[in-house]
């Protein structure tokens, strides 16, 4: 046995041993994530002459939600000509609604073309970020070490934390389980008895793809979604060539798509009677595919269309009519080692559970690790509900910018449009900071409160507050997710940074506060 006598004991503990001090990197701007938000921000920063920035990416590839969601059939339900950057139109989209792989490739190409790759710090999960009042910068801890940043921009996305249901016995299941956003491509579903829980935008895309392969599919449906025809089609080569040669033609196509979708906001926000037509279309779609009256009843939504995201599919209903599919509307009471038990007492024997149960949107973890002035956690500032001025800046959190922050989500149009509006606002803020030699900007609390009151007031009459339970609502029933209006209004209002609504702190004179 090896003994160490007292006089041979080291005099320093391991963490006290002398080591070379590596200075902590200090950047002007740190961005979180390389999805549409973070990448778009980075590209526009470079185009505006900013080079001192880093992007913290938790994974080893680009794409955010378009990297993580790889389930069979994953595609966008907003047309690709519209769901892409205005400064990087892609004439080569293969389909009206491009598949996930193509969208991720597009994002990778954008990152390379605009010189973003060298700015990315891969495999770097942000563990926490703390505003230093004394130093006037963010102290950021990542899984790759620390860094300081004058400005912190969150592009982490609202759909990045998969949510599992709280069902008794969920941990007791002995078979393979996975979430739709963490698809197990190494696991062969062929001839398996598969339970799918959830019938949102993700499930309706992968159910028709796995149905022909599994031996039995038990689809657990809690709330039937409104589904309208998707009418996806390949974009002909002649059109791709036309768009390459004549970008204006693609811009016109994009504009047409944009305004058609903007019309839906009329119904969702201002004129609910207009939704009737959409509901009729969806009912006809259901009737055309489902002749069994019992199944049809199970699949008939009982809430107003639009309250939850309207889904697009041509193959979901037909898949449900196949003999190996059972649509179960009884609530799940418990999960056991090899089965699910529903409220009617029935046991459903299964080999695999796929959770298509969505994401932590209003209850995500990240706000718990961001500490603003006086050490206040963003989660605490939001204890009564998330709010941010134009979904972008938060009182008490200097030099912090959110992309797709509270009340910037959409149920009817392209999120990329909203992201680009926010980017314009942030860039104008950075320009103002430079021009006026400002070190710190922080939105005033009363400005944020007034804005939030406006959001909640306008929300009252919208379809999203018409009584259904959806992930747009937080635990208190407040819709802190969706923008309650036309997207062109949001763009108009975020066109310019409005310094008079901010507390501004000049460089080098921390005590001197101006408004
Ligand atoms: O998740 P969801 P998603 N027992 O939250 C059900 C975007 N997206 O991953 O409605 C039984 O919509 C839940 O039931 P209910 C898009 O923005 C975009 O499908 O709450 N069921 C619901 O059916 C979308 O909105 C694309 O009653 C349970 C489902 O799980 C967002 O991602 C493609 C349950 C969750 O649906 C999320 O979509 C895919 C339980 N205990 C996704 N718990 C595009 O094409 C939950 N559910 C752009």
């Amino acid at each position: 046995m090896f003994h160490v006598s007292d006089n041979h004991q080291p005099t320093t503990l391991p963490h006290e041993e002398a080591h070379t001090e590596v200075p902590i990197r200090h950047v002007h701007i740190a961005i979180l994530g390389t999805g549409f938000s973070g990448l778009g921000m980075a590209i526009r920063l470079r185009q505006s002459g900013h080079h001192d920035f880093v992007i913290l990416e938790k994974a080893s590839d680009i794409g955010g939600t378009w990297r993580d969601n790889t389930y069979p059939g994953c595609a966008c339900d907003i047309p690709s000509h519209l769901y892409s950057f205005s400064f990087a139109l892609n004439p080569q989209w293969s389909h009206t609604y491009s598949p996930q792989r193509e969208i991720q490739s597009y994002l990778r190409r954008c990152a390379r073309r605009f010189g973003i790759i060298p700015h990315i710090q891969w495999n770097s999960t942000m563990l926490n970020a703390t505003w230093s009042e004394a130093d006037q910068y963010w102290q950021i801890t990542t899984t790759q070490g620390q860094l300081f940043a004058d400005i912190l921009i969150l592009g982490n996305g609202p759909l990045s934390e998969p949510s599992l249901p709280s069902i008794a016995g969920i941990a007791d299941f002995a078979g393979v389980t996975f979430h739709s956003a963490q698809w197990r491509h190494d696991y062969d579903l062929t001839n398996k008895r598969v339970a799918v829980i959830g019938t949102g935008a993700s499930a309706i895309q992968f159910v028709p793809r796995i149905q022909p392969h599994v031996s039995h599919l038990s689809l657990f449906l809690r709330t039937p979604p409104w589904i309208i025809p998707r009418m996806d089609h390949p974009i002909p080569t002649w059109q791709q060539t036309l768009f390459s040669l004549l970008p204006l033609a693609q811009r016109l196509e994009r504009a047409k798509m944009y305004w058609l979708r903007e019309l839906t906001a009329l119904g969702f926000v201002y004129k609910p009677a207009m939704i009737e037509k959409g509901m009729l279309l969806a009912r006809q779609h259901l009737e055309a595919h489902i002749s069994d009256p019992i199944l049809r009843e199970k699949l008939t939504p009982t809430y107003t269309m639009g309250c939850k995201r309207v889904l697009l599919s041509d193959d979901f209903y037909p898949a449900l009519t196949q003999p190996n599919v059972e649509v179960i509307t009884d609530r799940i009471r418990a999960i056991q080692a090899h089965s699910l038990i529903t409220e009617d007492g029935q046991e459903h024997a299964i080999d695999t559970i796929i959770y298509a149960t969505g994401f932590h949107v209003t209850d995500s973890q990240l706000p718990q690790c961001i500490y603003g002035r006086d050490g206040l956690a963003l989660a605490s500032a939001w204890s009564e509900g998330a709010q941010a001025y134009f979904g972008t800046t938060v009182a008490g959190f200097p030099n912090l910018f959110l992309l797709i922050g509270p009340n910037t989500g959409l149920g009817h149009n392209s999120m990329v449009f909203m992201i680009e509006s926010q980017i314009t606002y942030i860039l104008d803020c950075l320009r103002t900071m430079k021009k006026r030699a400002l070190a710190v900007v922080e939105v005033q609390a009363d400005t944020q409160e007034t804005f939030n009151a406006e959001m909640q007031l306008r929300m009252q009459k919208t379809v999203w507050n018409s009584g259904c339970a959806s992930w747009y609502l937080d635990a208190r029933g407040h819709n802190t997710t969706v923008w309650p209006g036309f997207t062109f209004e949001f763009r108009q209002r975020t066109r310019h940074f409005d310094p008079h609504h901010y507390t501004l702190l000049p460089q080098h004179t921390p005590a001197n506060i101006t408004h």
Side-chain angles (χ1 to χ4, degrees), residues 310-489:
V310 179
L311 308 184
L312 279 69
S313 178
D314 296 326
D315 52 8
F316 181 64
Y317 286 147
L320 304 190
T321 63
Q322 299 307 306
N324 65 338
V325 178
E326 185 184 4
V327 177
I328 302 155
T329 50
D330 297 285
R331 298 292 160 93
I332 305 163
R333 185 199 294 162
I335 297 177
Q336 298 184 341
H338 302 284
S339 63
L340 280 136
I341 311 288
T342 40
E343 287 296 352
D344 57 355
Q346 259 218 298
E347 182 170 4
H348 306 267
I350 43 161
D351 304 308
T352 307
I353 305 175
I354 304 175
Y355 294 105
T357 43
F359 300 87
H360 290 284
V361 180
T362 56
D363 58 345
S364 76
Q365 292 287 314
L366 194 72
Q368 293 175 22
C369 339
I370 295 173
Y371 303 93
R373 265 193 301 109
D374 307 319
L376 181 71
L378 186 55
S380 305
W382 284 354
S383 59
E384 298 294 311
Q387 50 173 284
Y389 184 50
F390 291 128
T392 310
T393 50
V394 186
F397 295 80
N399 291 9
L400 177 72
F401 298 92
L402 281 53
L403 292 166
I404 324 188
N407 292 115
T408 55
L410 295 179
H412 73 284
N413 214 329
S414 169
M415 274 315 298
V416 184
F417 185 89
M418 297 299 273
I419 292 167
E420 286 196 42
S421 305
Q422 289 188 283
I423 290 174
T424 300
Y425 185 78
I426 297 169
L427 286 177
D428 199 34
C429 172
L430 296 178
R431 260 192 300 274
T432 308
M433 289 178 83
K434 194 171 174 199
K435 207 163 86 188
R436 297 200 191 176
L438 300 173
V440 179
V441 295
E442 180 188 336
V443 69
Q444 290 163 12
D446 56 346
T447 296
Q448 183 182 307
E449 272 161 32
T450 308
F451 177 79
N452 190 52
E454 179 203 328
M455 291 295 101
Q456 293 309 319
L457 183 71
R458 287 174 59 171
M459 203 65 78
Q460 283 172 16
K461 291 198 177 124
T462 66
V463 70
W464 304 295
N465 279 32
S466 63
C468 74
S470 79
W471 58 261
Y472 296 150
L473 310 180
D474 68 11
R476 285 173 181 70
H478 291 146
N479 188 332
T480 56
T481 309
V482 179
W483 168 251
F486 292 114
T487 61
F488 58 81
E489 182 204 338

Side-chain angles (χ1 to χ4, degrees), residues 71 75-77 159 165 198-202 222-223 308-309 356-358 471:
Y71 58 76
C76 190
D77 57 14
L159 304 174
T199 52
S202 302
R222 193 164 66 176
T223 314
K308 287 166 178 278
R309 191 177 175 93
T357 43
W471 58 261

Side-chain angles (χ1 to χ4, degrees), residues 136-209:
Q136 296 181 338
Y137 55 65
W138 286 94
Q139 297 177 340
I140 300 166
T141 309
T142 77
T143 44
Q144 303 271 1
Q146 262 210 313
L147 98 150
F148 301 147
D150 304 322
I151 310 270
L152 175 59
I153 303 176
L154 305 181
N156 51 295
L159 304 174
S160 52
E161 292 176 29
S163 166
L164 293 178
S166 47
I167 300 175
I170 190 167
D172 300 337
F173 188 68
V176 169
T177 69
F178 53 92
H179 188 277
S180 58
Q182 296 160 334
W183 198 267
R184 284 276 306 270
H185 291 280
D186 61 333
Y187 179 70
D188 188 2
L189 291 167
T190 309
N191 295 330
K192 299 286 189 318
R193 293 166 303 174
V194 177
V196 172
I197 303 180
T199 52
S202 302
I204 68 144
Q205 291 186 333
F206 73 74
V207 161
R209 298 301 178 100

Side-chain angles (χ1 to χ4, degrees), residues 8-159:
H8 284 103
Q9 277 194 349
T11 52
T12 55
L13 293 169
H15 74 275
E16 293 169 341
E17 280 170 17
H19 58 271
T20 323
E21 275 288 323
V22 182
I24 294 172
R25 186 176 173 196
H26 190 144
V27 291
H28 184 40
I29 300 167
I31 303 171
L32 202 59
T34 61
F36 266 101
S37 304
L39 187 60
M41 186 74 239
I43 294 170
R44 296 286 287 113
L45 277 176
R46 265 194 74 112
Q47 288 177 334
S48 312
H50 293 270
H51 294 278
D52 185 14
F53 67 89
V54 68
I55 313 180
L56 304 173
E57 172 49 66
K58 68 178 178 187
S60 54
D61 201 351
I62 296 214
T65 192
W66 293 106
R67 174 200 57 229
D68 295 344
N69 284 269
T70 59
Y71 58 76
C74 184
C76 190
D77 57 14
I78 298 286
S80 295
H81 286 314
L82 190 55
Y83 196 82
S84 40
F85 293 123
S86 63
F87 49 81
L89 295 193
N90 174 22
Q92 263 84 48
W93 289 119
S94 69
H95 285 73
T96 319
Y97 302 101
S98 296
Q100 168 264 336
R101 265 175 198 231
E102 208 174 321
I103 300 171
Q104 197 197 0
S105 301
Y106 164 77
L107 291 173
R108 282 199 195 118
R109 277 202 310 279
C110 286
R112 281 195 209 99
R113 176 178 154 199
F114 293 102
I116 301 306
I117 305 287
H119 292 272
I120 303 174
Q121 192 173 303
W122 303 104
N123 305 308
S124 262
T125 301
M126 190 176 88
L127 300 173
N128 58 61
T130 305
W131 174 253
S132 167
E133 192 75 359
D135 302 310
Q136 296 181 338
Y137 55 65
W138 286 94
Q139 297 177 340
I140 300 166
T141 309
T142 77
T143 44
Q144 303 271 1
Q146 262 210 313
L147 98 150
F148 301 147
D150 304 322
I151 310 270
L152 175 59
I153 303 176
L154 305 181
N156 51 295
L159 304 174

